[in-house]
PDB file of all heavy atoms in Angstrom:
ATOM      1  N   LEU A 242      33.576  14.494 -21.345  1.00 97.00           N
ATOM      2  CA  LEU A 242      33.753  13.080 -21.026  1.00 97.00           C
ATOM      3  C   LEU A 242      34.955  12.504 -21.761  1.00 97.00           C
ATOM      4  O   LEU A 242      35.782  11.792 -21.169  1.00 97.00           O
ATOM      5  CB  LEU A 242      32.487  12.310 -21.381  1.00 97.00           C
ATOM      6  CG  LEU A 242      32.492  10.806 -21.116  1.00 97.00           C
ATOM      7  CD1 LEU A 242      32.729  10.515 -19.642  1.00 97.00           C
ATOM      8  CD2 LEU A 242      31.174  10.184 -21.583  1.00 97.00           C
ATOM      9  N   ASP A 243      35.080  12.805 -23.041  1.00 97.00           N
ATOM     10  CA  ASP A 243      36.217  12.303 -23.816  1.00 97.00           C
ATOM     11  C   ASP A 243      37.537  12.841 -23.265  1.00 97.00           C
ATOM     12  O   ASP A 243      38.544  12.112 -23.206  1.00 97.00           O
ATOM     13  CB  ASP A 243      36.071  12.691 -25.285  1.00 97.00           C
ATOM     14  CG  ASP A 243      34.902  11.984 -25.959  1.00 97.00           C
ATOM     15  OD1 ASP A 243      34.482  10.933 -25.449  1.00 97.00           O
ATOM     16  OD2 ASP A 243      34.412  12.498 -26.985  1.00 97.00           O
ATOM     17  N   GLU A 244      37.545  14.108 -22.868  1.00 97.00           N
ATOM     18  CA  GLU A 244      38.762  14.690 -22.305  1.00 97.00           C
ATOM     19  C   GLU A 244      39.118  14.033 -20.980  1.00 97.00           C
ATOM     20  O   GLU A 244      40.303  13.798 -20.699  1.00 97.00           O
ATOM     21  CB  GLU A 244      38.580  16.199 -22.117  1.00 97.00           C
ATOM     22  CG  GLU A 244      38.585  16.988 -23.428  1.00 97.00           C
ATOM     23  CD  GLU A 244      38.445  18.480 -23.204  1.00 97.00           C
ATOM     24  OE1 GLU A 244      38.165  18.885 -22.042  1.00 97.00           O
ATOM     25  OE2 GLU A 244      38.602  19.250 -24.166  1.00 97.00           O
ATOM     26  N   ALA A 245      38.102  13.729 -20.172  1.00 97.00           N
ATOM     27  CA  ALA A 245      38.362  13.088 -18.879  1.00 97.00           C
ATOM     28  C   ALA A 245      38.935  11.689 -19.062  1.00 97.00           C
ATOM     29  O   ALA A 245      39.820  11.260 -18.305  1.00 97.00           O
ATOM     30  CB  ALA A 245      37.073  13.026 -18.059  1.00 97.00           C
ATOM     31  N   VAL A 246      38.453  10.965 -20.064  1.00 98.00           N
ATOM     32  CA  VAL A 246      38.969   9.619 -20.336  1.00 98.00           C
ATOM     33  C   VAL A 246      40.402   9.701 -20.865  1.00 98.00           C
ATOM     34  O   VAL A 246      41.291   8.966 -20.419  1.00 98.00           O
ATOM     35  CB  VAL A 246      38.049   8.888 -21.330  1.00 98.00           C
ATOM     36  CG1 VAL A 246      38.706   7.597 -21.810  1.00 98.00           C
ATOM     37  CG2 VAL A 246      36.699   8.594 -20.685  1.00 98.00           C
ATOM     38  N   ALA A 247      40.638  10.602 -21.805  1.00 97.00           N
ATOM     39  CA  ALA A 247      41.985  10.749 -22.365  1.00 97.00           C
ATOM     40  C   ALA A 247      42.972  11.241 -21.320  1.00 97.00           C
ATOM     41  O   ALA A 247      44.154  10.873 -21.327  1.00 97.00           O
ATOM     42  CB  ALA A 247      41.938  11.708 -23.542  1.00 97.00           C
ATOM     43  N   ASP A 248      42.499  12.077 -20.404  1.00 97.00           N
ATOM     44  CA  ASP A 248      43.344  12.600 -19.331  1.00 97.00           C
ATOM     45  C   ASP A 248      43.809  11.473 -18.413  1.00 97.00           C
ATOM     46  O   ASP A 248      44.961  11.437 -17.961  1.00 97.00           O
ATOM     47  CB  ASP A 248      42.542  13.642 -18.540  1.00 97.00           C
ATOM     48  CG  ASP A 248      43.406  14.469 -17.602  1.00 97.00           C
ATOM     49  OD1 ASP A 248      44.649  14.456 -17.744  1.00 97.00           O
ATOM     50  OD2 ASP A 248      42.841  15.156 -16.721  1.00 97.00           O
ATOM     51  N   ALA A 249      42.915  10.529 -18.127  1.00 98.00           N
ATOM     52  CA  ALA A 249      43.227   9.433 -17.203  1.00 98.00           C
ATOM     53  C   ALA A 249      43.919   8.260 -17.893  1.00 98.00           C
ATOM     54  O   ALA A 249      44.789   7.610 -17.296  1.00 98.00           O
ATOM     55  CB  ALA A 249      41.939   8.955 -16.537  1.00 98.00           C
ATOM     56  N   PHE A 250      43.550   8.002 -19.139  1.00 98.00           N
ATOM     57  CA  PHE A 250      44.069   6.842 -19.855  1.00 98.00           C
ATOM     58  C   PHE A 250      44.568   7.298 -21.223  1.00 98.00           C
ATOM     59  O   PHE A 250      43.833   7.183 -22.229  1.00 98.00           O
ATOM     60  CB  PHE A 250      42.974   5.775 -20.014  1.00 98.00           C
ATOM     61  CG  PHE A 250      42.234   5.470 -18.744  1.00 98.00           C
ATOM     62  CD1 PHE A 250      40.946   5.967 -18.541  1.00 98.00           C
ATOM     63  CD2 PHE A 250      42.819   4.714 -17.741  1.00 98.00           C
ATOM     64  CE1 PHE A 250      40.252   5.688 -17.371  1.00 98.00           C
ATOM     65  CE2 PHE A 250      42.121   4.439 -16.571  1.00 98.00           C
ATOM     66  CZ  PHE A 250      40.853   4.928 -16.379  1.00 98.00           C
ATOM     67  N   PRO A 251      45.768   7.832 -21.296  1.00 97.00           N
ATOM     68  CA  PRO A 251      46.282   8.386 -22.561  1.00 97.00           C
ATOM     69  C   PRO A 251      46.202   7.382 -23.703  1.00 97.00           C
ATOM     70  O   PRO A 251      46.608   6.219 -23.563  1.00 97.00           O
ATOM     71  CB  PRO A 251      47.732   8.724 -22.218  1.00 97.00           C
ATOM     72  CG  PRO A 251      47.721   8.981 -20.742  1.00 97.00           C
ATOM     73  CD  PRO A 251      46.729   8.003 -20.195  1.00 97.00           C
ATOM     74  N   GLY A 252      45.637   7.829 -24.803  1.00 97.00           N
ATOM     75  CA  GLY A 252      45.510   6.987 -25.986  1.00 97.00           C
ATOM     76  C   GLY A 252      44.279   6.114 -26.003  1.00 97.00           C
ATOM     77  O   GLY A 252      43.974   5.503 -27.031  1.00 97.00           O
ATOM     78  N   ALA A 253      43.545   6.050 -24.882  1.00 97.00           N
ATOM     79  CA  ALA A 253      42.337   5.227 -24.823  1.00 97.00           C
ATOM     80  C   ALA A 253      41.115   6.063 -25.193  1.00 97.00           C
ATOM     81  O   ALA A 253      41.151   7.296 -25.188  1.00 97.00           O
ATOM     82  CB  ALA A 253      42.159   4.639 -23.432  1.00 97.00           C
ATOM     83  N   ARG A 254      40.019   5.400 -25.520  1.00 97.00           N
ATOM     84  CA  ARG A 254      38.774   6.110 -25.805  1.00 97.00           C
ATOM     85  C   ARG A 254      37.590   5.288 -25.324  1.00 97.00           C
ATOM     86  O   ARG A 254      37.648   4.049 -25.245  1.00 97.00           O
ATOM     87  CB  ARG A 254      38.628   6.428 -27.291  1.00 97.00           C
ATOM     88  CG  ARG A 254      38.626   5.231 -28.210  1.00 97.00           C
ATOM     89  CD  ARG A 254      38.640   5.652 -29.681  1.00 97.00           C
ATOM     90  NE  ARG A 254      38.729   4.509 -30.572  1.00 97.00           N
ATOM     91  CZ  ARG A 254      37.680   3.839 -31.043  1.00 97.00           C
ATOM     92  NH1 ARG A 254      36.451   4.228 -30.713  1.00 97.00           N
ATOM     93  NH2 ARG A 254      37.848   2.810 -31.850  1.00 97.00           N
ATOM     94  N   LEU A 255      36.529   5.995 -24.993  1.00 98.00           N
ATOM     95  CA  LEU A 255      35.294   5.379 -24.538  1.00 98.00           C
ATOM     96  C   LEU A 255      34.401   5.108 -25.738  1.00 98.00           C
ATOM     97  O   LEU A 255      34.197   5.984 -26.582  1.00 98.00           O
ATOM     98  CB  LEU A 255      34.589   6.305 -23.544  1.00 98.00           C
ATOM     99  CG  LEU A 255      33.334   5.792 -22.841  1.00 98.00           C
ATOM    100  CD1 LEU A 255      33.661   4.607 -21.942  1.00 98.00           C
ATOM    101  CD2 LEU A 255      32.690   6.913 -22.030  1.00 98.00           C
ATOM    102  N   VAL A 256      33.867   3.908 -25.806  1.00 98.00           N
ATOM    103  CA  VAL A 256      32.973   3.515 -26.896  1.00 98.00           C
ATOM    104  C   VAL A 256      31.558   3.410 -26.344  1.00 98.00           C
ATOM    105  O   VAL A 256      31.314   2.679 -25.379  1.00 98.00           O
ATOM    106  CB  VAL A 256      33.410   2.167 -27.507  1.00 98.00           C
ATOM    107  CG1 VAL A 256      32.419   1.726 -28.582  1.00 98.00           C
ATOM    108  CG2 VAL A 256      34.816   2.266 -28.071  1.00 98.00           C
ATOM    109  N   ILE A 257      30.637   4.151 -26.964  1.00 98.00           N
ATOM    110  CA  ILE A 257      29.238   4.167 -26.508  1.00 98.00           C
ATOM    111  C   ILE A 257      28.353   3.836 -27.704  1.00 98.00           C
ATOM    112  O   ILE A 257      27.986   4.715 -28.489  1.00 98.00           O
ATOM    113  CB  ILE A 257      28.858   5.541 -25.928  1.00 98.00           C
ATOM    114  CG1 ILE A 257      29.890   5.993 -24.891  1.00 98.00           C
ATOM    115  CG2 ILE A 257      27.456   5.485 -25.307  1.00 98.00           C
ATOM    116  CD1 ILE A 257      29.723   7.435 -24.454  1.00 98.00           C
ATOM    117  N   PRO A 258      28.001   2.563 -27.899  1.00 97.00           N
ATOM    118  CA  PRO A 258      27.184   2.183 -29.057  1.00 97.00           C
ATOM    119  C   PRO A 258      25.800   2.824 -29.018  1.00 97.00           C
ATOM    120  O   PRO A 258      25.279   3.143 -27.945  1.00 97.00           O
ATOM    121  CB  PRO A 258      27.085   0.661 -28.932  1.00 97.00           C
ATOM    122  CG  PRO A 258      28.142   0.263 -27.955  1.00 97.00           C
ATOM    123  CD  PRO A 258      28.329   1.422 -27.039  1.00 97.00           C
ATOM    124  N   SER A 259      25.213   3.008 -30.168  1.00 96.00           N
ATOM    125  CA  SER A 259      23.827   3.461 -30.238  1.00 96.00           C
ATOM    126  C   SER A 259      22.942   2.389 -29.605  1.00 96.00           C
ATOM    127  O   SER A 259      22.988   1.221 -30.013  1.00 96.00           O
ATOM    128  CB  SER A 259      23.422   3.695 -31.691  1.00 96.00           C
ATOM    129  OG  SER A 259      22.085   4.144 -31.762  1.00 96.00           O
ATOM    130  N   PRO A 260      22.157   2.742 -28.583  1.00 96.00           N
ATOM    131  CA  PRO A 260      21.437   1.706 -27.832  1.00 96.00           C
ATOM    132  C   PRO A 260      20.205   1.188 -28.554  1.00 96.00           C
ATOM    133  O   PRO A 260      19.601   1.872 -29.377  1.00 96.00           O
ATOM    134  CB  PRO A 260      21.039   2.437 -26.544  1.00 96.00           C
ATOM    135  CG  PRO A 260      20.951   3.869 -26.939  1.00 96.00           C
ATOM    136  CD  PRO A 260      21.979   4.076 -28.008  1.00 96.00           C
ATOM    137  N   GLY A 261      19.869  -0.064 -28.251  1.00 95.00           N
ATOM    138  CA  GLY A 261      18.602  -0.646 -28.654  1.00 95.00           C
ATOM    139  C   GLY A 261      17.691  -0.637 -27.439  1.00 95.00           C
ATOM    140  O   GLY A 261      17.326   0.411 -26.924  1.00 95.00           O
ATOM    141  N   ARG A 262      17.351  -1.830 -26.953  1.00 97.00           N
ATOM    142  CA  ARG A 262      16.600  -1.903 -25.701  1.00 97.00           C
ATOM    143  C   ARG A 262      17.479  -1.584 -24.498  1.00 97.00           C
ATOM    144  O   ARG A 262      16.999  -1.136 -23.461  1.00 97.00           O
ATOM    145  CB  ARG A 262      15.985  -3.292 -25.533  1.00 97.00           C
ATOM    146  CG  ARG A 262      14.857  -3.597 -26.507  1.00 97.00           C
ATOM    147  CD  ARG A 262      14.269  -4.973 -26.225  1.00 97.00           C
ATOM    148  NE  ARG A 262      13.175  -5.275 -27.127  1.00 97.00           N
ATOM    149  CZ  ARG A 262      11.906  -4.940 -26.937  1.00 97.00           C
ATOM    150  NH1 ARG A 262      11.584  -4.270 -25.840  1.00 97.00           N
ATOM    151  NH2 ARG A 262      10.982  -5.267 -27.813  1.00 97.00           N
ATOM    152  N   GLU A 263      18.785  -1.846 -24.670  1.00 97.00           N
ATOM    153  CA  GLU A 263      19.713  -1.622 -23.570  1.00 97.00           C
ATOM    154  C   GLU A 263      20.854  -0.713 -24.007  1.00 97.00           C
ATOM    155  O   GLU A 263      21.195  -0.640 -25.191  1.00 97.00           O
ATOM    156  CB  GLU A 263      20.285  -2.954 -23.060  1.00 97.00           C
ATOM    157  CG  GLU A 263      19.255  -3.858 -22.424  1.00 97.00           C
ATOM    158  CD  GLU A 263      19.871  -5.131 -21.860  1.00 97.00           C
ATOM    159  OE1 GLU A 263      20.788  -5.666 -22.513  1.00 97.00           O
ATOM    160  OE2 GLU A 263      19.432  -5.584 -20.789  1.00 97.00           O
TER     161      GLU A 263
END
Side-chain angles (χ1 to χ4, degrees):
L242 180 60
D243 293 338
E244 288 182 351
V246 170
D248 193 15
F250 312 104
R254 60 187 176 89
L255 186 64
V256 176
I257 309 170
S259 181
R262 290 182 179 273
E263 294 183 321

